[in-house]
Amino acid sequence: MLVAAYLSLAVLLASCLGLELWACGARPPGPPGGNPAFVRFQRGFFRVYFPALAADWLQAPYLYKLYRHYRFLEGQIAILYVCGLASAVLFGLVSGPLADRLGRRRACVLSSLTAAACCLTKLSRDYFVLLLGRALGGLASALLGSAFEAWYVHEHLERHDFPPDWVPATFARAAFWNHVLAVGAGLAAEAAAGGLGLGPAAPFVAAVPLLALAGGLALRDWDESHGRPRPFSRTCLGGLRCVLADRRVLLLGTVQALFESVVYIFVFLWTPVLDPHGAPLGVVFSGFMAAGLLGASLYRAATSKRYHLQPVHLLSLAVLLVVFSLLMLSFSTSPGQERPAESLVAFLLIELACGLYFPSVGFLRRKVIPEAERAGVLNWFRVPLHLLACLGLLVLHGSDGGTGTCHMFAACAGVMGLALLAVVGLFTLVRHDAEMRVVPPAGEPCAPEL
């Protein structure tokens, strides 16, 4: 497994580099890249945002391993994960209004503080302290996913008066470097776990200085801003009306809930599947992130002027890849017949599919969901997503180890089969809709650079 993990990481990184270099044409002159004021503002945002992202990724490879190191049973670990998911959905519903009322800069600082507190709870072996840490982690993740973006959009549009068309350029660049940071974080977590003498808790300790840096830079360099939050009941009712009125929104929400709930279960299961076979968890995690980066690069190449594939086609491909991978896993994890190398390949295919899925579903969401109702609609998408993931983890909690894992992958394959039906329905609705098509730019964009 050691050789397979390093070899797969090397192959994936080489593939990513080759694809990015192949796709990198001459960058069109002029804004936003040619505007010095915009570049300074963008870098000021990245100086705070990237350390927070890196700290978040550092915690991912060794979370399950840490709980096993503390000798908790798989069922107890499943409850910890369910607590984190429940916290994420609860705080996700209120994180936007909270940032508007508290102040967006303060919300970003609060995200760093709660994430640091969550990391420090990992030094305790007390189960209830770890449960508290999972709840804090849900709040930190919700704010990381909303407050930073809200601060940037307000500053970009209101304070600096840059064109709205430049906002996607920043988040496209952030998404690219987010993958790069995740790959580096996996390798750093592997080094920390083996080199700091703290075992699986070391990556969590290493994340604290990064969170302190992010919070400190936000306090020093960023201006405060507030919003006018829409009443929560009105947001939810408006979102529900949008979901029920447009079949495209309903189908897209179904795909998102089914696909992402399966991804959450995969996040829980990959460590107990590979760790008993001596897999270096940080390196494996870096391989996953490299596969996701390759998927995102393939998305950009496929939707380019040269190939002109559409996001709905790539969304269908992503769902098919996950169905195939889960069927592979249902056989490769059979008790007494485990094939860890085959399981690793299947996990990498799932991450590759995620790299195709997230930009595809993000594009389709922007097209079918009105901006005014987007927060409410996404709240309705999140609820079944997290409920399905929690249900799957609770089923694992009541099952025995190997057989339960094998059956869970088979059940997830069935869930993704339902997602495939929803994708087919969505494709039927939008295949002749010109608004749902990507219009490639006149010049092919270069890979994002800082």
Side-chain angles (χ1 to χ4, degrees):
M1 279 304 298
L2 185 71
V3 174
Y6 278 101
L7 181 61
S8 61
L9 175 61
V11 169
L12 287 164
L13 288 177
S15 300
C16 291
L17 180 61
L19 188 59
E20 288 296 334
L21 290 175
W22 173 79
C24 183
R27 184 181 293 275
N35 186 307
F38 176 75
V39 170
R40 283 195 300 272
F41 166 64
Q42 193 182 63
R43 288 179 176 173
F45 172 65
F46 289 156
R47 273 197 299 270
V48 177
Y49 189 42
F50 284 173
L53 289 175
D56 190 52
W57 287 121
L58 263 176
Q59 302 170 51
Y62 277 88
L63 181 60
Y64 188 100
K65 177 78 170 181
L66 177 73
Y67 295 145
R68 291 297 289 174
H69 179 70
Y70 290 160
R71 301 189 182 280
F72 292 119
L73 301 176
E74 184 168 299
Q76 294 173 304
I77 300 173
I79 294 297
L80 287 167
Y81 273 75
V82 167
C83 179
L85 286 173
S87 172
V89 70
L90 175 64
F91 289 118
L93 295 173
V94 300
S95 59
L98 175 64
D100 289 333
R101 286 195 172 93
L102 180 66
R104 298 183 180 103
R105 183 186 67 167
R106 290 192 189 97
C108 294
V109 174
L110 178 62
S111 173
S112 296
L113 288 174
T114 52
C118 171
C119 289
L120 293 176
T121 62
K122 301 300 188 292
L123 297 175
S124 172
R125 293 174 179 263
D126 186 276
Y127 191 73
F128 293 100
V129 173
L130 293 172
L131 282 172
L132 174 63
R134 292 296 289 166
L136 290 171
L139 173 59
S141 296
L143 291 173
L144 179 63
S146 61
F148 285 85
E149 180 176 344
W151 181 91
Y152 176 83
V153 171
H154 176 271
E155 295 293 307
H156 179 108
L157 298 176
E158 304 297 331
R159 198 180 301 273
H160 294 275
D161 197 28
F162 292 125
D165 293 346
W166 294 2
V167 171
T170 294
F171 289 110
R173 182 172 294 184
F176 176 86
W177 287 102
N178 185 34
H179 279 100
V180 175
L181 287 169
V183 173
L187 296 174
E190 183 70 28
L196 292 184
L198 294 174
F204 299 92
V205 175
V208 173
L210 290 172
L211 292 164
L213 175 64
L217 288 175
L219 282 173
R220 190 191 72 178
D221 298 338
W222 285 8
D223 296 317
E224 187 58 276
S225 64
H226 294 79
R228 295 192 202 121
R230 190 181 182 189
F232 183 70
S233 59
R234 190 182 301 172
T235 299
C236 288
L237 287 174
L240 181 60
R241 279 194 296 267
C242 184
V243 171
L244 297 178
D246 191 337
R247 192 165 170 234
R248 299 175 306 169
V249 177
L250 181 60
L251 288 170
L252 186 62
T254 301
V255 174
Q256 179 174 338
L258 296 175
F259 189 101
E260 294 182 28
S261 62
V262 168
V263 170
Y264 274 117
I265 295 171
F266 151 70
V267 167
F268 175 81
L269 285 176
W270 74 267
T271 303
V273 169
L274 297 179
D275 187 44
H277 302 281
L281 298 181
V283 177
V284 170
F285 180 81
S286 292
F288 291 166
M289 296 301 101
L293 177 59
L294 179 60
S297 299
L298 288 171
Y299 173 87
R300 289 194 295 274
T303 55
S304 67
K305 193 173 183 180
R306 180 168 184 174
Y307 296 105
H308 205 46
L309 290 175
Q310 297 306 317
V312 70
H313 301 142
L314 299 173
L315 181 61
S316 305
L317 176 60
V319 175
L320 274 171
L321 269 176
V322 175
V323 172
F324 173 73
S325 303
L326 291 168
L327 290 174
M328 281 179 62
L329 286 163
S330 66
F331 291 104
S332 66
T333 58
S334 298
Q337 303 177 30
E338 293 89 351
R339 297 186 292 278
E342 187 176 316
S343 297
L344 176 61
V345 171
F347 288 143
L348 291 170
L349 286 175
I350 291 175
E351 284 291 348
L352 177 67
C354 288
L356 293 170
Y357 164 83
F358 284 106
S360 300
V361 83
F363 174 87
L364 294 170
R365 261 201 315 250
R366 289 193 298 272
K367 294 297 183 180
V368 303
I369 304 174
E371 180 67 33
E373 305 297 344
R374 191 163 297 163
V377 170
L378 292 180
N379 284 342
W380 284 105
F381 286 2
R382 288 189 194 103
V383 171
L385 187 164
H386 287 89
L387 285 177
L388 284 168
C390 289
L391 178 62
L393 293 176
L394 289 173
V395 169
L396 275 172
H397 171 267
S399 64
D400 70 293
T403 304
T405 298
C406 170
H407 291 167
M408 180 54 64
F409 283 127
C412 287
V415 170
M416 290 305 298
L418 296 176
L420 185 59
L421 292 177
V423 169
V424 171
L426 181 64
F427 177 77
T428 303
L429 284 177
V430 306
R431 60 180 172 175
H432 298 306
D433 189 346
E435 186 187 358
M436 307 295 292
R437 295 180 171 272
V438 172
V439 180
E444 292 298 325
C446 184
E449 297 177 5
L450 283 178

